[in-house]
Amino acid sequence: MKLSLGFAAALLIGASTAVPALQSRQDACYTVHSGYFVVHPYSGDAGVTLNDQNQVVYGKPGKLLQVQFQACPKLLGNIPDDDKWVGRIVSGGRCLTITNANSTTEPYFAKVAGCSSNTSPSVAQTWKYGTGDDRGVVYWAGPPDSYGYVGYIPDDNGAPVVSSGGLLEIGCDHECINFSIRAELD
C-alpha cells in the first residue's frame, strides 16, 4: 500500500496537534481532597467564611468556604504515595488567591478569584496539602523566597488574628499555624 506524500503530511500534522492536547489533559490539575477550608486546630476546626466581596474572613458571618484541593502535576513536590500534594484550592470554579502575594511585608490576605491556570497556578494560587506526617495540613506555598509553609497568624492564645474588617491574616512562614480541609465541621 502506498501513501501519497500529501496524506502522509496530513497524518503527521494531525499527530503533532493531538500530542499537545493529550499532554495538556495529563497536566491538568485534579481533585485529591474536598471539604471545608478551616483554621486548625483552633476552636474545633472552625470554618472560614467568605464575605460579600469573596474575601476570606474569620469570626464574621458569611458563606462557609467549601473547597477542593487540586494537585497540579506540573508543579514539583507531589508525592501521591505519601498523600502530599502541591496545587491549588478551588471553590465554585474559582481559586483561593493571596491578594497581596508580591508584598514584602505581612500580613497577607486571601480571596476567591478567577484561576490563573488549569496546569500551573500562579504563586498567589499555589498551596500545599499533606497527610503523611502532618495529617490534613494546608499551607500557602508563599512567595518565591519563602520556606513554603505560610499559614494563619495566631494571637497569644492561638486564635487567628484578623484585620479590623475581619479579614483573616496570613503570614509567618514556617512558624505559623496551618489550615486544614475537613469533610465535616465539628
Side-chain angles (χ1 to χ4, degrees), residues 108 140-150 173:
Y108 298 102
W140 173 46
D145 61 347
S146 73
Y147 288 99
Y149 296 96
V150 181
D173 188 23

Side-chain angles (χ1 to χ4, degrees), residues 17-27:
T17 58
V19 171
L22 177 60
Q23 185 67 34
S24 67
R25 277 193 301 245
Q26 291 173 341
D27 291 341

Side-chain angles (χ1 to χ4, degrees), residues 19 41 52 59 64 70 79 82 97 100 125 127 159 161 174 178:
V19 171
D52 55 358
L64 286 171
Q70 293 187 341
I79 309 172
D82 290 339
T97 306
N100 57 333
Q125 295 179 345
W127 295 79
V161 172
H174 84 285
N178 64 277

Side-chain angles (χ1 to χ4, degrees), residues 14-113:
S16 68
T17 58
V19 171
L22 177 60
Q23 185 67 34
S24 67
R25 277 193 301 245
Q26 291 173 341
D27 291 341
C29 302
Y30 60 94
T31 300
V32 293
H33 291 285
S34 60
Y36 294 94
F37 189 75
V38 299
V39 294
H40 175 78
Y42 184 75
S43 191
D45 292 326
V48 174
T49 57
L50 293 177
N51 65 17
D52 55 358
Q53 287 94 35
N54 286 322
Q55 296 167 312
V56 175
V57 296
Y58 183 81
K60 298 280 185 185
K63 178 183 169 192
L64 286 171
L65 187 52
Q66 288 186 285
V67 300
Q68 298 83 43
F69 189 95
Q70 293 187 341
C72 299
K74 282 190 134 187
L75 300 178
L76 298 177
N78 288 305
I79 309 172
D81 291 342
D82 290 339
D83 201 16
K84 294 182 180 178
W85 308 97
V86 179
R88 63 185 188 168
I89 297 175
V90 177
S91 180
R94 298 164 60 93
C95 286
L96 189 57
T97 306
I98 300 298
T99 59
N100 57 333
N102 293 327
S103 176
T104 57
T105 59
E106 298 174 350
Y108 298 102
F109 299 99
K111 72 182 290 183
V112 174

